[in-house]
C-alpha cells in the first residue's frame, strides 16, 4: 500500500516537472496599463496589472533600438531597413511613441510567462498584446515601425506559429511597398553607408524659435508622436517630464500641455512654439 502511494506521488511530481519544462498554459491579463519607464521601447515595456509590475517583450516583432547600448543590433537593423544607424534610432523613437499612444488606454496581455532574458531586475516575459485597434505587434509591422524577427509562439486561436509569422511578413511587405515608417523615402537611404557601431551620432536637437513667426516653421513637433529624445531636447524638459508628457497622451492639441504636472505657465510659453 505504501509503495503504491509513493508511486502515485512520484508520478504526479514527474508530471508537474514535465509540464513546467514544456511551458505554462496561456494566461490572459485584462485591464493592463503601461508604466512610464525610460527603458520602454517599441517592443518591450513595463506593464502594471492587478497591483503587480511586469516587463513584457512582444513575440515575433523587433522594433528599432532607441539608443546605442546594443551596437551590433543597431547595425543589423540598419541593414534590414536600408538606412543609417542614426536613422534607426529615429525610427525606434517613433515606434516607442507609437506604442505609448496605443497603450494609453487599458489593454490585454496574452502570455505563458516565458522568460525573454531582459537586463532589468524585473523578469521580462514574452507576450502578445491586444489593444482596441488589434494586435500591437501587427500594428507596428503594418506601420513600418518594426521588422518580423525574434521568438515565435503558437498563441490561442491560430493553427501554428508559422501562420502568424506569414501574416506579419505580408504586413511588412505591404508597409515596404507603401513606404511607411522605416521604409519611407525621407528616412530610407539605401545608398548611404551604415555607421560604425562605435560611433553612433546623436539625433539633432530641435531648432529653437527665434521670432514670433516661429509657429509657422516647418518640421515642428507633433505633441502626440514626438519621441522622448525630441521632447528632452526642448528647454526645461528632462527625462521625467518627457515621460509625463508621453504618459498623458493623447492630447487634443499642444495647448493641453499646460495640464501636465510640472509644466507651469512660463515653461509652457517656452515650449509651445516648438509644437504644431
Amino acid at each position: 500500500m505504501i509503495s503504491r502511494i509513493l508511486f502515485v506521488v512520484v508520478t504526479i511530481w514527474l508530471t508537474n516537472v514535465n509540464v513546467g519544462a514544456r511551458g505554462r498554459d496561456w494566461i490572459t491579463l485584462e485591464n493592463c496599463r503601461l508604466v512610464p519607464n525610460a527603458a520602454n521601447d517599441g517592443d518591450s515595456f513595463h506593464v502594471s496589472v492587478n497591483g503587480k509590475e511586469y516587463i513584457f517583450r512582444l513575440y515575433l516583432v523587433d522594433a528599432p533600438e532607441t539608443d546605442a547600448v546594443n551596437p551590433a543590433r543597431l547595425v543589423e537593423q540598419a541593414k534590414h531597413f536600408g538606412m543609417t544607424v542614426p536613422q534607426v534610432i529615429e525610427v525606434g523613437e517613433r515606434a516607442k511613441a507609437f506604442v505609448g499612444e496605443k497603450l494609453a488606454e487599458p489593454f490585454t496581455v496574452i502570455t505563458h510567462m516565458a522568460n525573454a532574458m531582459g537586463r532589468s531586475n524585473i523578469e521580462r516575459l514574452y507576450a502578445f498584446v491586444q489593444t482596441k485597434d488589434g494586435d500591437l505587434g501587427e500594428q507596428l509591422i503594418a506601420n513600418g515601425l518594426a521588422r518580423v524577427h525574434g521568438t515565435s509562439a503558437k498563441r490561442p486561436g491560430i493553427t501554428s506559429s508559422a501562420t502568424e509569422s506569414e501574416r506579419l511578413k505580408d504586413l511588412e511587405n505591404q508597409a515596404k511597398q507603401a513606404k511607411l515608417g522605416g521604409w519611407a523615402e525621407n528616412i530610407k537611404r539605401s545608398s548611404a553607408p551604415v555607421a560604425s557601431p562605435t560611433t553612433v551620432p546623436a539625433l539633432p536637437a530641435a531648432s529653437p524659435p527665434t521670432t514670433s513667426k516661429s509657429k509657422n516653421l516647418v518640421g515642428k513637433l507633433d505633441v502626440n508622436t514626438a519621441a522622448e529624445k525630441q521632447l528632452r531636447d526642448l528647454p526645461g524638459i528632462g527625462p521625467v517630464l518627457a515621460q509625463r508628457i508621453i504618459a498623458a497622451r493623447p492630447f487634443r492639441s499642444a495647448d493641453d500641455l499646460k495640464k501636465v504636472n510640472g509644466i507651469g505657465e512660463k515653461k509652457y510659453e517656452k515650449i509651445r512654439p516648438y509644437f504644431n
Side-chain angles (χ1 to χ4, degrees):
M1 181 67 178
I2 294 176
S3 61
R4 185 173 299 175
I5 293 174
L6 288 173
F7 173 78
V8 172
V9 170
V10 170
T11 301
I12 293 174
W13 179 79
L14 288 173
T15 300
N16 289 335
V17 169
N18 288 334
V19 169
R22 293 172 185 171
R24 303 183 179 103
D25 291 335
W26 288 100
I27 300 170
T28 299
L29 302 174
E30 303 281 359
N31 200 34
C32 298
R33 293 187 178 274
L34 181 68
V35 177
N37 190 288
N40 290 349
D41 57 25
D43 56 40
S44 181
F45 31 81
H46 290 242
V47 171
S48 174
V49 59
N50 298 326
K52 186 173 181 180
E53 184 172 341
Y54 300 87
I55 302 176
F56 288 115
R57 169 72 166 85
L58 296 177
Y59 278 112
L60 282 166
V61 171
D62 180 45
E65 302 294 302
T66 57
D67 53 42
V69 172
N70 191 338
R73 176 63 65 85
L74 277 170
V75 171
E76 181 185 341
Q77 292 170 337
K79 290 180 178 178
H80 180 85
F81 283 99
M83 62 174 73
T84 64
V85 165
Q87 290 165 341
V88 169
I89 295 177
E90 178 186 344
V91 176
E93 291 285 0
R94 289 172 58 185
K96 178 177 178 177
F98 179 88
V99 168
E101 181 179 349
K102 292 297 180 181
L103 302 188
E105 298 181 17
F107 52 92
T108 300
V109 170
I110 303 171
T111 178
H112 58 60
M113 313 301 275
N115 193 337
M117 303 297 291
R119 295 188 295 269
S120 172
N121 292 330
I122 303 176
E123 184 180 17
R124 187 169 70 159
L125 307 167
Y126 281 111
F128 293 100
V129 173
Q130 287 291 128
T131 74
K132 64 182 180 63
D133 297 319
D135 182 81
L136 180 61
E138 292 181 0
Q139 294 173 65
L140 283 163
I141 296 291
N143 284 276
L145 298 175
R147 60 175 177 159
V148 184
H149 183 80
T151 301
S152 62
K154 178 186 174 184
R155 65 171 168 178
I158 62 172
T159 56
S160 69
S161 59
T163 302
E164 179 68 6
S165 180
E166 290 171 3
R167 171 169 169 74
L168 289 175
K169 288 177 181 177
D170 287 341
L171 291 173
E172 183 176 44
N173 287 333
Q174 292 173 26
K176 187 174 182 179
Q177 292 174 4
K179 296 180 174 57
L180 300 177
W183 306 109
E185 289 295 340
N186 63 335
I187 292 180
K188 183 180 176 185
R189 300 288 186 273
S190 58
S191 61
V194 175
S196 167
T198 57
T199 56
V200 180
L203 291 176
S207 300
T210 55
T211 70
S212 60
K213 297 180 179 180
S214 61
K215 293 183 179 180
N216 297 320
L217 291 176
V218 176
K220 293 199 293 182
L221 302 178
D222 184 310
V223 70
N224 286 316
T225 61
E228 180 185 353
K229 186 181 186 308
Q230 292 174 306
L231 294 173
R232 295 201 313 265
D233 285 334
L234 300 182
I237 304 296
V240 174
L241 196 49
Q243 283 292 331
R244 287 179 185 172
I245 292 172
I246 292 172
R249 290 169 175 169
F251 298 102
R252 289 175 300 178
S253 74
D255 294 338
D256 287 342
L257 285 168
K258 290 186 286 188
K259 299 178 181 179
V260 177
N261 184 25
I263 299 181
E265 190 64 35
K266 290 183 178 180
K267 186 169 292 185
Y268 169 78
E269 290 177 357
K270 287 183 179 180
I271 65 175
R272 181 60 181 88
Y274 289 89
F275 295 93
N276 293 322

